[in-house]
Amino acid sequence: MRVLVLFDLPVLTGDQRREYARFRKFLLKSGFLMLQEFVYCKLALNTTAVNGIVDQIHKNKPEEGLVQLLTVTEKQYAKMDLIVGNVKSEVLNTDERLVIL
């Protein structure tokens, strides 16, 4: 499953810019990857993991602005159609990501 975070935060004042930067840093430290400027994505193994991710986002939400969460399956995510632009993939989809413990 994938959790998509879509947000639109105000950045008119210094406090609002700091809140935006804090939320963005929280997403990056939590393992989210940027798909577009205000769209971030994270892989979750199951619904329990999704619920934990959603709870963490609720705890770290900014005071102003709009934050939306969307959970999709891997099959739905794979059907995403790229219309214009190039795919920037930071995810390794080969055996290179295999970790043997």
Side-chain angles (χ1 to χ4, degrees), residues 2-3 6-7 9 15 23-24 26 28 31 51 54 59 79 86 89 93:
R2 300 268 180 155
V3 178
L6 306 96
F7 62 93
L9 304 179
D15 289 339
F23 184 67
R24 184 179 179 281
F26 158 75
L28 294 174
N51 292 337
V54 169
K59 289 178 185 173
K79 289 183 180 180
N86 298 322
S89 178
N93 288 326

Side-chain angles (χ1 to χ4, degrees), residues 39-50:
V39 180
Y40 287 74
C41 177
K42 183 175 182 177
L43 182 65
L45 296 177
N46 53 36
T47 55
T48 304
V50 168

Side-chain angles (χ1 to χ4, degrees), residues 6-53:
L6 306 96
F7 62 93
D8 185 17
L9 304 179
V11 290
L12 300 175
T13 67
D15 289 339
Q16 290 173 336
R17 284 190 292 276
R18 279 188 287 282
E19 189 69 13
Y20 162 78
R22 186 198 62 77
F23 184 67
R24 184 179 179 281
K25 286 179 186 177
F26 158 75
L27 291 176
L28 294 174
K29 286 181 181 178
S30 298
F32 281 86
L33 297 174
M34 185 172 69
L35 295 179
Q36 292 185 7
E37 191 170 356
F38 301 108
V39 180
Y40 287 74
C41 177
K42 183 175 182 177
L43 182 65
L45 296 177
N46 53 36
T47 55
T48 304
V50 168
N51 292 337
I53 293 168

Side-chain angles (χ1 to χ4, degrees), residues 2-6 35 39-41 68-72 77:
R2 300 268 180 155
V3 178
L4 297 168
V5 178
L6 306 96
L35 295 179
V39 180
Y40 287 74
C41 177
Q68 297 172 307
L69 301 175
L70 176 65
T71 304
V72 297
Y77 185 80

Side-chain angles (χ1 to χ4, degrees), residues 52-85:
I53 293 168
V54 169
D55 289 341
Q56 287 299 316
I57 292 172
H58 279 279
K59 289 178 185 173
N60 290 282
K61 69 182 184 328
E63 297 202 12
E64 296 180 75
L66 175 66
V67 177
Q68 297 172 307
L69 301 175
L70 176 65
T71 304
V72 297
T73 65
E74 279 301 302
K75 190 172 185 178
Q76 291 167 329
Y77 185 80
K79 289 183 180 180
M80 186 185 312
D81 192 13
L82 181 65
I83 305 297
V84 175

